Amino acid sequence: MYGLAGYNIKPVKSHKRGRNVVYTCEKEGTGAKILRIAFLNDRSREDFLGELEYVRYLFEHGGSVSNVISSRKGNLLEEITHNHHTFFVCLFEKAKGKMLVDNHYRYREGVPISEYYYNCGKVLGTMHQLSKGYAPVHSRYSFFDKYNAEYIDKLIPGSLPLLKEKLLGLLKSLEGLDTDHESFGMIHFDYNDGNYSIDFDTGQITVYDFDNSCFGWYMFDLASIWGNGMGWIQSEPDAGKRKRFMEDYFETVLEGYRSETRMDPSMLNKLPLLIQVNLMEGIIDAFEVMRNNGEEPECDEELSYYIKCLEDDIPYFGFFHEIYSCEEPFEYEIRNI
């Protein structure tokens, strides 16, 4: 389907939240590629086409993303049916550079880390600016299509009534947010350093893994970047120093972001709310993974921590609150459910 004969094809190590099987495809003299095979029945053909068309649109209009490669038939998406099960297959250009974790969280030698913070905002700002002119053929779902009272009631165990109540209250708060052209559009919805690579020669960031992309508030992606910054200062015992670092870090991110797109100042005031929505997404995703894996629901220290933050209305991932421990970041006593 893709002319990959002769390529050295190796599986990429999966992670707990993974929903696909992924392979690197390398051949001397050609650019490396990423093959993705989706095996869960939680997404439709329309969902995949909506994702891939968006990626192609971003790439063709100057977005720094890994382009999707058409098959020999000219399709962005291919299907294989085996034993009455459908697998959805697609191929991407491999992003230049590598992830921060693979570089042991060291940035470019001799270059201030603030360049990285700025570029995180700049690359996201470009994508959001392009989204403001995006008219999909196959449309991805919108935020409330998935995150609604019915879905939460079905997914979250009845033994967590306070969590359900808080999640529903969060949804109620979101209903009052602007969904105008400048505030709401196609977003990545999982913008973090596990989903982009950095060219350590130039600092250029290339984004991939749009598997969760949907129509949502641009501020959600910015709240994700805010959360990413915590890792740089999470071992600092002084909450005041953590707070000052996060303020400086995020201001640099916003400088990069504003260099590419306009931001409604009123939406910046919604940052704490959208951080809570990031928290909600993480909690819901954890229960989805358990369900998809056929596991009984359980809360480890990390999930218990995030649930506690929502139940007790603790803002900013609890990062400036007494619940946070720099010795055991984002962990709380395991709860039975």
Side-chain angles (χ1 to χ4, degrees):
M1 290 179 169
Y2 293 97
L4 296 175
Y7 278 74
N8 182 20
I9 300 176
K10 294 181 179 179
V12 175
K13 186 179 179 182
S14 62
H15 61 89
K16 187 177 180 181
R17 294 172 59 176
R19 304 158 76 201
N20 311 292
V21 181
V22 181
Y23 301 86
T24 57
C25 311
E26 297 179 329
K27 184 179 181 181
E28 193 173 341
T30 65
K33 299 170 177 59
I34 298 291
L35 180 69
R36 190 185 80 186
I37 304 173
F39 59 91
L40 295 176
N41 61 1
D42 61 340
R43 291 154 292 170
S44 68
R45 177 181 175 81
E46 293 288 310
D47 288 330
F48 288 113
L49 285 173
E51 172 201 353
L52 299 176
E53 288 173 3
Y54 178 56
V55 171
R56 175 63 63 82
Y57 167 82
L58 290 175
F59 180 81
E60 290 181 343
H61 290 80
S64 189
V65 302
S66 291
N67 191 24
V68 56
I69 301 170
S70 299
S71 70
R72 284 177 161 177
K73 295 178 181 178
N75 299 325
L76 296 179
L77 182 70
E78 291 288 355
E79 295 179 36
I80 298 174
T81 301
H82 179 68
N83 287 342
H84 308 292
H85 190 93
T86 299
F87 299 86
F88 291 99
V89 184
C90 50
L91 189 70
F92 301 89
E93 298 283 357
K94 188 176 188 295
K96 189 173 183 181
K98 53 187 176 181
M99 293 191 296
L100 265 175
V101 65
D102 294 331
N103 206 47
H104 309 291
Y105 284 97
R106 294 193 302 266
Y107 192 56
R108 305 204 297 141
E109 190 173 347
V111 178
I113 189 70
S114 57
E115 177 192 84
Y116 165 64
Y117 305 156
Y118 182 91
N119 285 346
C120 283
K122 182 179 178 68
V123 168
L124 183 65
T126 299
M127 292 197 301
H128 286 176
Q129 180 61 29
L130 292 173
S131 287
K132 292 174 184 178
Y134 180 56
V137 177
H138 295 85
S139 186
R140 291 283 285 182
Y141 60 87
S142 190
F143 179 87
F144 286 115
D145 292 337
K146 176 177 179 179
Y147 298 94
N148 54 60
E150 182 182 359
Y151 186 64
I152 286 172
D153 188 56
K154 194 187 317 182
L155 182 69
I156 304 299
S159 55
L160 296 172
L162 181 56
L163 175 61
K164 283 191 179 187
E165 178 187 323
K166 294 295 182 177
L167 290 173
L168 295 176
L170 203 49
L171 291 179
K172 199 72 178 170
S173 298
L174 290 172
E175 289 174 2
L177 284 191
D178 285 339
T179 54
D180 60 31
H181 176 75
E182 289 293 321
S183 304
F184 192 92
M186 273 291 282
I187 59 175
H188 188 282
F189 209 72
D190 197 14
Y191 190 73
N192 63 72
D193 60 38
N195 287 333
Y196 51 72
S197 290
I198 302 169
D199 181 343
F200 286 95
D201 291 329
T202 65
Q204 181 61 44
I205 292 171
T206 303
V207 187
Y208 39 80
D209 196 356
F210 286 78
D211 207 11
N212 292 325
S213 58
C214 65
F215 284 89
W217 294 273
Y218 297 126
M219 200 67 213
F220 180 93
D221 280 348
L222 279 164
S224 296
I225 299 187
W226 190 95
N228 295 342
M230 296 187 298
W232 298 104
I233 195 71
Q234 67 179 21
S235 298
E236 169 57 55
D238 188 323
K241 289 181 180 178
R242 292 198 301 272
K243 191 170 190 296
R244 285 191 293 275
F245 170 87
M246 292 302 294
E247 288 170 352
D248 292 342
Y249 157 79
F250 196 60
E251 186 54 45
T252 305
V253 168
L254 288 177
E255 285 177 20
Y257 186 81
R258 288 176 174 135
S259 73
E260 298 298 324
T261 192
R262 180 184 175 277
M263 169 191 277
D264 185 338
S266 68
M267 284 303 291
L268 195 54
N269 297 330
K270 303 299 182 182
L271 176 64
L273 174 62
L274 272 300
I275 287 174
Q276 292 296 84
V277 180
N278 268 255
L279 198 57
M280 176 183 78
E281 187 277 330
I283 291 169
I284 288 176
D285 183 77
F287 282 104
E288 286 177 338
V289 168
M290 289 182 245
R291 179 196 61 191
N292 291 337
N293 292 340
E295 301 169 357
E296 287 296 316
E298 63 177 4
C299 293
D300 60 15
E301 291 93 339
E302 184 178 20
L303 181 55
S304 296
Y305 177 93
Y306 292 131
I307 290 175
K308 179 72 173 173
C309 286
L310 263 192
E311 288 183 340
D312 289 7
D313 300 317
I314 302 172
Y316 297 105
F317 295 106
F319 201 46
F320 314 127
H321 190 272
E322 61 185 18
I323 189 178
Y324 180 79
S325 165
C326 63
E327 288 86 15
E328 297 178 328
F330 312 109
E331 291 188 6
Y332 192 69
E333 61 189 56
I334 295 177
R335 64 169 69 194
N336 297 316
I337 58 175

